[in-house]
């Protein structure tokens, strides 16, 4: 009887947590549903993978914004790209600049400011390309990921307002499904007096 009560209580708690949202426009939703994963080969490996965050059902990413620490001659330890937000709209409202959107994000670095949202003119985000600085060696400043590009299903390419260290890698595969609907980032937490890199890599998820 005690085991039955424990299981029932646990299911009730899980159901309560999974149903919580923080409202529009910012909403963090973690969900196991997706059709395919998109990865690139040039991401760095410092830090740990964060949580997967998904658009609400029936919504897909049509825009994005970045958290960026801009280059500084005063700050020796630059971190460049610190976070990526996806802005999700419903299938019936895939126009640019939609006011009816939900914002999702995975883990973030600690530095920088958010850029303006960049929207697809039509359609949804379908693949991405990452600009990454490779390991600079002992005694030099590493920044890891610096910027990101997306292609929209309408064919338009959007480039983020990131920084310019490093090089663009190969494009990810294209979505199997309607468009990108989720994100997971690899973030190096603050290293104190040692070199910080913040965002190192990202995985995108696609839904039907």
């Amino acid at each position: 009887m005690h085991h039955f009560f424990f299981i029932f209580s646990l299911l009730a708690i899980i159901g309560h947590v999974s149903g919580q949202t923080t409202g529009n426009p910012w909403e963090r939703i973690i969900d196991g549903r997706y059709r395919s994963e998109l990865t690139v080969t040039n991401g760095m490996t410092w830090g740990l993978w964060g949580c997967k965050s998904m658009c609400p059902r029936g919504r897909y990413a049509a825009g994005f914004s970045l958290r960026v620490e801009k280059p500084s001659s005063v700050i020796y330890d630059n971190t460049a790209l610190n976070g990526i937000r996806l802005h999700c709209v419903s299938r019936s409202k895939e126009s640019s600049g939609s006011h009816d959107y939900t914002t999702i994000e995975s883990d973030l670095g600690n530095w920088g400011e958010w850029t303006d949202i960049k929207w697809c003119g039509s359609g949804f985000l379908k693949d991405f390309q990452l600009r990454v600085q490779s390991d600079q060696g002992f005694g030099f400043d590493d920044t890891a990921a610096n910027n990101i590009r997306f292609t929209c299903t309408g064919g338009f390419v959007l480039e983020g307002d990131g920084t310019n260290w490093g090089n663009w890698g190969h494009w990810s595969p294209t979505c199997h499904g309607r468009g990108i609907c989720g994100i997971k980032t690899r973030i190096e937490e603050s290293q104190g007096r040692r070199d910080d890199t913040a965002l190192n890599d990202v995985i995108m998820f696609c839904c039907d």
Side-chain angles (χ1 to χ4, degrees):
M1 184 66 179
H2 292 291
H3 293 293
F4 175 79
F5 180 78
F6 173 76
I7 293 171
F8 180 83
S9 301
L10 181 61
L11 290 173
I13 291 170
I14 292 172
H16 176 70
V17 171
S18 64
Q20 289 181 334
T21 62
T22 55
N24 188 57
W26 194 95
E27 187 171 357
R28 184 181 178 88
I29 296 178
I30 300 172
D31 194 344
R33 52 167 180 86
Y34 61 91
R35 181 172 177 181
S36 61
E37 293 183 5
L38 305 183
T39 62
V40 291
T41 59
N42 63 326
M44 298 302 291
T45 58
W46 292 299
L48 300 172
W49 286 104
C51 293
K52 178 172 73 232
S53 189
M54 304 291 292
C55 296
R57 288 187 181 275
R59 291 186 173 228
Y60 309 86
F64 73 99
S65 52
L66 306 179
R67 186 176 189 177
V68 179
E69 183 183 42
K70 293 296 185 180
S72 171
S73 58
V74 178
I75 302 172
Y76 172 71
D77 186 8
N78 292 285
T79 58
L81 186 57
N82 274 249
I84 302 169
R85 282 177 175 167
L86 300 181
H87 305 289
C88 312
V89 301
S90 66
R91 284 180 289 185
S92 61
K93 298 180 179 179
E94 42 187 285
S95 60
S96 64
S98 171
H99 295 291
D100 180 20
Y101 64 89
T102 302
T103 298
I104 62 170
E105 63 188 35
S106 180
D107 288 15
L108 305 172
N110 297 327
W111 302 276
E113 303 295 330
W114 287 101
T115 65
D116 292 336
I117 300 175
K118 291 184 179 288
W119 292 100
C120 290
S122 63
F124 307 108
L125 307 179
K126 69 173 185 177
D127 56 20
F128 74 99
Q129 184 185 32
L130 203 58
R131 183 168 192 152
V132 178
Q133 182 188 51
S134 60
D135 188 344
Q136 298 298 289
F138 182 77
F140 293 92
D141 183 30
D142 291 297
T143 59
N146 275 246
N147 204 355
I148 195 168
R149 289 174 178 154
F150 289 93
T151 306
C152 303
T153 52
F156 193 71
V157 176
L158 300 175
E159 182 172 329
D161 296 321
T163 46
N164 296 322
W165 290 298
N167 299 290
W168 291 104
H170 296 296
W171 283 91
S172 74
T174 299
C175 269
H176 295 295
R178 187 175 296 273
I180 290 174
C181 60
I183 183 172
K184 181 166 70 172
T185 52
R186 184 170 193 155
I187 301 288
E188 182 185 45
E189 64 181 12
S190 175
Q191 300 297 293
R193 294 181 177 273
R194 295 183 295 168
D195 188 26
D196 293 300
T197 59
L199 198 150
N200 273 245
D201 201 357
V202 61
I203 297 172
M204 302 290 172
F205 301 91
C206 301
C207 296
D208 286 327

